[in-house]
């Protein structure tokens, strides 16, 4: 009998975010966590190699000044408009704490990054989802009503769909009394950033990450850009929670990654080319694939259930992502890997489909 201890009654219970499976065996093709298939540039390697480990006895710069300055210069904003954190998850979680504490519900899409509702539950924030339409696009009218804040990823995850900037601008403009966060984790792979609109709208904040296009998921670097007042409030929450969130090696590597712009753009272009090739190959095999502007594909087969394909690929040591959830249970999210990895994926799928036809 599972009894509840007295102290357990005081525990805050939430349903946690579930990440993609992390296989421990060698030789797998891991296409389930949207990591970059290529390493960071040589500038990052040099920065880490040259890092003076003796400095680790000291606390890092609590303002992350070098990284903030590098980001401000790169994106053409003022340093006071930049906030950095331990991955965009850290930045977003702190943003939920800072900006979303009214009585009205915050709004986000019903098919989206599954951390949003987790944070809302953890911080006891009322929330509602707005259903995407049949093409997995947001309906702007759903966000033109009283709310406690809005967060929309663009491109969206796991669909990969990119919403036009004009659509999102209407939402921002119609909600001057709410903070609107645009989560641009995948914007470098073919989207358009909302950054040029920051001077126009004080309630807009853009969040990006180094984990995808800058190939640094293991370093955990994320950042937000908004007006100085908005960023100031975000810093107040951070410094009341943990002043020293960014470690020294991460700061050094982040600055180096920003400086190595040529490598960054080269890597992004390679991933886009591979994505488009794979999209065509999957269509040839009978898949419907959304018009992804990210580093992954969202695909469903016209005849074979996604859960079946997921298991078939896993048996071949190819890991993709599948959710047993309403509306997307028959879709797979497939991270774009190297050319070789995607060729193996396509060959494996073609073989399975052909063998299945003759069973």
């Amino acid at each position: 009998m599972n009894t509840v201890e007295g102290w357990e009654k005081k525990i805050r219970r939430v349903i946690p975010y579930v990440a993609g499976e992390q296989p421990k065996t060698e030789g797998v093709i891991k296409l389930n966590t949207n990591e970059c298939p290529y390493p960071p540039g040589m500038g990052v390697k040099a920065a880490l190699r040259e890092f003076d480990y003796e400095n680790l006895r000291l606390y890092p710069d609590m303002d992350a000044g070098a990284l903030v300055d590098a980001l401000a210069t790169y994106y053409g904003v003022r340093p006071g408009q930049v906030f950095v954190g331990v991955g965009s998850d850290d930045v977003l979680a702190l943003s939920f704490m800072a900006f979303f504490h009214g009585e009205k519900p915050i709004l986000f899409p019903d098919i989206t990054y599954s951390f949003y509702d987790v944070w809302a539950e953890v911080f006891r924030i009322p929330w509602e989802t707005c259903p995407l339409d049949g093409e997995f696009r947001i309906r702007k009218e759903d966000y033109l009503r009283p709310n406690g804040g809005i967060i929309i990823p663009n491109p969206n995850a796991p669909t990969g769909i990119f919403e036009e900037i004009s659509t999102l601008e209407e939402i921002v403009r119609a909600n001057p009394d709410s903070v609107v966060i645009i989560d641009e984790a995948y914007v470098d792979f073919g989207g358009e950033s909302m950054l040029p609109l920051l001077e126009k709208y004080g309630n807009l904040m853009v969040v990006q990450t180094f984990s995808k296009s800058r190939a640094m998921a293991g370093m955990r670097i994320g950042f937000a850009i908004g007006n100085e007042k908005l960023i100031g409030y975000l810093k107040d929450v951070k410094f009341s929670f943990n002043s020293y969130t960014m470690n020294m090696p991460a700061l050094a590597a982040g600055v180096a990654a920003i400086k190595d712009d040529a490598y960054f753009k080269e890597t992004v272009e390679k991933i886009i080319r591979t994505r488009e090739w794979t999209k065509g190959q999957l269509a040839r095999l009978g898949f419907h694939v959304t018009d992804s502007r990210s580093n992954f594909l969202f695909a469903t087969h016209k005849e074979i259930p996604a859960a079946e394909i997921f298991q078939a690929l896993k048996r071949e040591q190819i890991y993709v992502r599948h959710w047993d959830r309403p509306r997307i249970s028959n879709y797979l999210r497939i991270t774009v890997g190297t050319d070789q990895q995607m060729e193996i994926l396509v060959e494996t799928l073609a073989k399975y489909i052909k063998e299945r036809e003759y069973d």
Side-chain angles (χ1 to χ4, degrees):
M1 182 176 179
N2 186 17
T3 59
V4 178
E5 301 287 348
W7 56 265
E8 288 185 87
K9 297 176 182 178
K10 302 173 184 176
I11 299 298
R12 175 174 290 184
R13 301 186 183 188
V14 295
I15 299 174
Y17 169 79
V18 179
E21 187 174 354
Q22 297 284 2
K24 305 299 182 183
T25 55
E26 296 291 331
V28 304
I29 296 180
K30 189 168 177 286
L31 306 176
N32 65 338
T33 50
N34 294 347
E35 295 152 321
C36 182
Y38 305 106
M42 295 302 294
V44 172
K45 184 177 181 179
L48 294 176
R49 185 176 60 243
E50 296 165 6
F51 180 78
D52 186 354
Y53 79 96
E54 292 186 3
N55 285 331
L56 292 178
R57 64 184 179 80
L58 305 172
Y59 284 111
D61 175 11
M62 62 188 297
D63 293 314
L67 181 56
V68 165
D69 289 346
L71 286 165
T73 299
Y74 187 84
Y75 289 103
V77 298
R78 297 176 293 280
Q81 293 180 266
V82 180
F83 176 90
V84 298
V86 186
S88 60
D89 287 342
D90 179 48
V91 175
L92 289 167
L94 290 170
S95 298
F96 270 57
M97 282 195 285
F99 307 131
F100 300 158
H101 61 90
E103 296 180 356
K104 296 183 178 67
I106 64 169
L107 307 176
F108 49 85
D110 65 332
I111 301 172
T112 192
Y113 186 32
S114 51
F115 234 137
Y116 296 160
D117 60 333
V118 173
W119 289 321
E121 289 296 319
V122 168
F123 302 132
R124 300 297 189 260
I125 300 167
W127 58 278
E128 291 181 10
T129 58
C130 302
L132 300 178
D133 67 17
E135 300 297 320
F136 294 132
R137 293 194 171 277
I138 66 171
R139 300 182 299 189
K140 65 183 179 183
E141 58 270 19
D142 291 341
Y143 298 89
L144 308 183
R145 59 186 172 96
N147 61 78
I150 295 171
I151 180 166
I152 298 174
N154 197 38
N156 195 9
T159 66
I161 297 293
F162 172 75
E163 299 290 349
E164 294 300 323
I165 296 301
S166 58
T167 300
L168 297 181
E169 184 177 5
E170 286 190 57
I171 293 172
V172 175
R173 183 170 58 242
N175 289 279
D177 296 329
S178 296
V179 174
V180 180
I181 300 174
I182 305 300
D183 183 353
E184 295 184 344
Y186 301 98
V187 74
D188 295 322
F189 298 103
E192 182 182 354
S193 178
M194 293 282 282
L195 286 173
L197 296 177
L198 290 178
E199 295 298 323
K200 191 174 180 181
Y201 300 103
N203 62 322
L204 171 64
M205 190 174 78
V206 171
V207 176
Q208 295 188 19
T209 177
F210 282 48
S211 296
K212 318 301 182 185
S213 56
R214 295 192 184 276
M216 294 178 67
M219 270 296 176
R220 313 307 302 129
I221 302 174
F223 62 97
I225 301 180
N227 72 65
E228 282 95 341
K229 182 179 288 187
L230 204 63
I231 296 301
Y233 286 128
L234 188 53
K235 287 180 179 179
D236 289 343
V237 170
K238 172 192 173 183
F239 292 142
S240 66
F241 185 75
N242 185 352
S243 297
Y244 301 102
T245 54
M246 296 291 295
N247 65 70
M248 288 182 180
L251 291 172
V255 171
I258 289 293
K259 291 180 178 179
D260 201 349
D261 193 44
Y263 180 82
F264 158 68
K265 291 176 178 175
E266 177 187 345
T267 300
V268 167
E269 285 302 316
K270 282 198 295 187
I271 292 170
I272 291 173
R273 287 196 300 269
T274 305
R275 180 190 71 199
E276 295 306 305
W277 177 87
T278 307
K279 190 185 298 183
Q281 295 299 309
L282 291 178
R284 181 177 59 82
L285 293 175
F287 285 87
H288 167 71
V289 186
T290 61
D291 182 22
S292 175
R293 302 288 185 89
S294 59
N295 70 335
F296 59 83
L297 297 169
F298 198 55
T300 182
H301 196 270
K302 60 183 179 182
E303 296 177 356
I304 308 174
E308 179 183 328
I309 298 174
F310 171 78
Q311 292 297 337
L313 290 173
K314 190 173 180 179
R315 287 193 294 271
E316 299 297 324
Q317 297 295 291
I318 300 174
Y319 287 75
V320 297
R321 195 80 195 268
H322 175 254
W323 290 271
D324 186 16
R325 295 180 183 173
R327 301 187 67 191
I328 62 171
S329 62
N330 205 34
Y331 281 81
L332 298 171
R333 192 195 69 189
I334 306 169
T335 303
V336 177
T338 63
D339 287 345
Q340 182 183 23
Q341 288 175 328
M342 304 316 283
E343 287 167 3
I344 294 173
L345 169 74
V346 170
E347 290 169 3
T348 303
L349 286 170
K351 180 181 178 183
Y352 178 74
I353 293 170
K354 184 175 181 180
E355 289 176 347
R356 190 178 184 275
E357 290 175 352
Y358 291 102
D359 281 348

